[in-house]
Amino acid sequence: MAAPSHRRSLRSRRALVVSAAAVAAAVGAGVVVMNANAGTVDLYHQTLAAKDGWASSGTGTTGGTKADAAHTFTVSTRAQLVKALGSASDTTPRIIKIKGTIDANTDDAGKKLTCADYASGTGYSLSAYLKAYDPSSYGTSKLPSGTQEKARAAAQTKQAKNIVFKVPANTSVVGVPGTDAGISGGMLQIQNVDNVVVRNLTFAATEDCFPQWDPTDGDDGNWNSNYDSVTLRGATHVWADHNTFTDAPHLDSANPKYYGREYQIHDGALDITKSSDLVTVSRNQFTNHDKTMLIGSSDSEPSGKLRVSIHHNIWKGIVQRAPLARVGQVHIYNNFYDVTTLNGYATQYSINSRAKAQVVAENNYWKVPTGGKVAKLLSGDGTGAVKGSGNLVNGTVTDVVAAYNAASSKDLKTTVNWTPALTSGLETSAKNLPTTLGTTTGASVLK
């Protein structure tokens, strides 16, 4: 088997929904949530609660809650979303309500765009690319270069200009309940900005029309794609909550193979890289995906950043990176992992700690099918740490770290250099998670 690639291809807070009409004068047509500590607040102005993970640290995460009427938008098309986002350097607070599903692969007039449209005028063709870089003639020691690689990069750049949405600081991007709100085929890019909220959205079908062949990646080379559904690069204070991430409708099982390797058109679902910091990922559903969450894009990222809390999420039909953590202090708690093969997505591992990452994994629940191996729930490079406690496998308390170490030549360290303190909502038992998370996570739960 070829070695897997680790490259960057890479509340307790109780809410009661009440009638919007009762407070329409105060919050307009927004969804209204009753918070036991904060009073009445509409969904679009809701902020991350105190002590709710790393993103609550310091100034906390409020997104666009201070937005005025001129910077509050309801959008339903790609062109409207681009206009609402404005300049990525504009720090004016803004709230963007996404109504329905926005197809990123459309032009400003709403016309559907295809891979052929992006390739047009660049000189790229897949057949010519495959001929130019066939390992039997081109070799396996260097990345593609020359005419067809330049054409592929040009076509990829055209697609990126259309499907990458750059989110400014002090922004909340929230799906309108009851509208199947989400983005299809696009990427939210949260780069070098602070204070962003992303909630109640389905991210689906984020696909790269022009993967690059890298014969040096892994034992047999790999096709690497370029877009995550949501990507954090040098971002701080980000709260991603109640979203759904999926490859559907094009699943990896439909990908062809070239040079004997899968032609992978999907990259990450939610990646947190380039020294991003103070992030809380809560009550999302991750499903039907391979390389799901990368924390740290390089083993050489500087220490002191990449502090991430991941709690009350469902991971189902995930191959790897749930998450893969490098360098930072990562708290993973009260998640439900179903590692049963789904639609061809067979789990390699759930959590990978490498490059001296300091992971605390507590009170999570793994559902492992008959014949599944507990030793394969974790992974590492021999330098990362996982301090595990209260984790259940099929309802039984299990030392998942010890199980991994007993079967591995590269042991995970079992002590960490920090103690989680921002743990509001931490449940001391994982036993009910398979039931409770099924109705409290993902998009379309918030009403």
Side-chain angles (χ1 to χ4, degrees):
M1 178 179 294
S5 168
H6 294 301
R7 296 194 179 188
R8 176 68 171 82
S9 61
L10 348 162
R11 274 160 253 261
S12 63
R13 184 178 50 192
R14 295 179 180 175
L16 298 175
V17 178
V18 298
S19 170
V23 289
V27 299
V31 176
V32 182
V33 176
M34 183 69 73
N35 184 291
N37 298 317
T40 301
V41 60
D42 73 284
L43 178 64
Y44 310 109
H45 291 83
Q46 193 170 1
T47 62
L48 181 64
K51 297 186 177 181
D52 189 349
W54 275 117
S56 67
S57 181
T59 56
T61 302
T62 60
T65 190
K66 295 182 179 179
D68 58 19
H71 294 89
T72 300
F73 309 90
T74 299
V75 302
S76 57
T77 68
R78 174 193 161 276
Q80 290 171 351
L81 176 58
V82 170
K83 183 177 180 180
L85 287 168
S87 170
S89 62
D90 185 352
T91 62
T92 305
R94 69 192 63 218
I95 293 172
I96 301 174
K97 308 174 187 180
I98 294 184
K99 185 176 182 180
T101 301
I102 291 176
D103 187 346
N105 289 294
T106 52
D107 64 15
D108 289 346
K111 178 186 175 182
K112 179 68 178 177
L113 298 176
T114 67
C115 295
D117 292 313
Y118 298 128
S120 178
T122 67
Y124 172 84
S125 77
L126 178 58
S127 60
Y129 191 90
L130 292 173
K131 182 178 180 180
Y133 306 112
D134 189 324
S136 65
S137 55
Y138 185 79
T140 59
S141 63
K142 59 181 179 179
L143 283 168
S145 63
T147 301
Q148 270 302 302
E149 173 56 22
K150 289 180 180 178
R152 184 205 64 80
Q156 192 176 65
T157 297
K158 283 181 66 176
Q159 184 181 12
K161 288 180 179 179
N162 210 79
I163 72 168
V164 176
F165 303 106
K166 298 179 180 180
V167 182
N170 306 316
T171 296
S172 293
V173 186
V174 183
V176 177
T179 69
D180 293 324
I183 297 175
S184 174
M187 178 173 87
L188 284 187
Q189 179 175 295
I190 307 169
Q191 181 168 328
N192 298 328
V193 297
D194 180 69
N195 193 29
V196 173
V197 173
V198 180
R199 303 185 75 198
N200 202 42
L201 294 166
T202 294
F203 295 94
T206 304
E207 300 170 3
D208 187 347
C209 287
F210 311 103
Q212 182 187 37
W213 170 244
D214 182 353
T216 71
D217 185 359
D219 292 344
D220 300 314
N222 274 300
W223 290 95
N224 294 325
S225 55
N226 203 40
Y227 310 112
D228 310 319
S229 293
V230 177
T231 190
L232 280 59
R233 303 173 183 173
T236 53
H237 290 109
V238 178
W239 180 29
D241 175 74
H242 279 98
N243 302 294
T244 297
F245 296 84
T246 178
D247 288 350
H250 181 109
L251 305 181
D252 280 354
S253 57
N255 290 339
K257 287 186 177 181
Y258 300 118
Y259 310 149
R261 301 296 288 158
E262 180 183 351
Y263 190 68
Q264 180 57 267
I265 61 174
H266 302 116
D267 194 7
L270 171 56
D271 280 6
I272 303 164
T273 64
K274 305 293 184 182
S275 292
S276 292
D277 198 23
L278 305 177
V279 179
T280 296
V281 180
S282 60
R283 300 191 182 276
N284 302 279
Q285 289 194 12
F286 298 93
T287 185
N288 293 313
H289 195 80
D290 186 350
K291 295 168 285 190
T292 304
M293 182 183 294
L294 187 64
I295 300 176
S297 52
S298 164
D299 288 357
S300 61
E301 289 204 35
S303 60
K305 301 293 181 69
L306 296 172
R307 291 173 290 180
V308 182
S309 297
I310 302 168
H311 71 82
H312 293 94
N313 302 281
I314 288 180
W315 312 77
K316 186 174 183 179
I318 298 303
V319 177
Q320 58 181 316
R321 302 186 185 180
L324 184 156
R326 291 181 168 106
V327 179
Q329 296 174 333
V330 181
H331 193 195
I332 304 171
Y333 61 96
N334 295 154
N335 296 276
F336 173 47
Y337 295 90
D338 185 345
V339 300
T340 308
T341 298
L342 177 67
N343 295 322
Y345 293 90
T347 300
Q348 293 180 8
Y349 64 83
S350 298
I351 300 170
N352 183 310
S353 180
R354 59 196 298 109
K356 300 181 180 181
Q358 303 290 299
V359 176
V360 176
E362 58 181 325
N363 304 340
N364 300 288
Y365 192 111
W366 273 271
K367 178 182 177 182
V368 178
T370 301
K373 295 182 179 181
V374 177
K376 292 185 175 295
L377 300 180
L378 305 182
S379 184
D381 66 348
T383 72
V386 176
K387 181 181 179 181
S389 64
N391 296 301
L392 305 184
V393 176
N394 296 337
T396 300
V397 176
T398 304
D399 189 336
V400 292
V401 182
Y404 169 80
N405 285 346
S408 173
S409 61
K410 295 182 178 180
D411 284 4
L412 289 163
K413 300 181 186 306
T414 58
T415 60
V416 296
N417 62 8
W418 69 294
T419 300
L422 303 171
T423 58
S424 174
L426 172 64
E427 298 178 53
T428 57
S429 173
K431 67 178 182 179
N432 294 324
L433 293 175
T435 300
T436 60
L437 294 187
T439 58
T440 59
T441 60
S444 302
V445 168
L446 300 174
K447 303 295 184 182

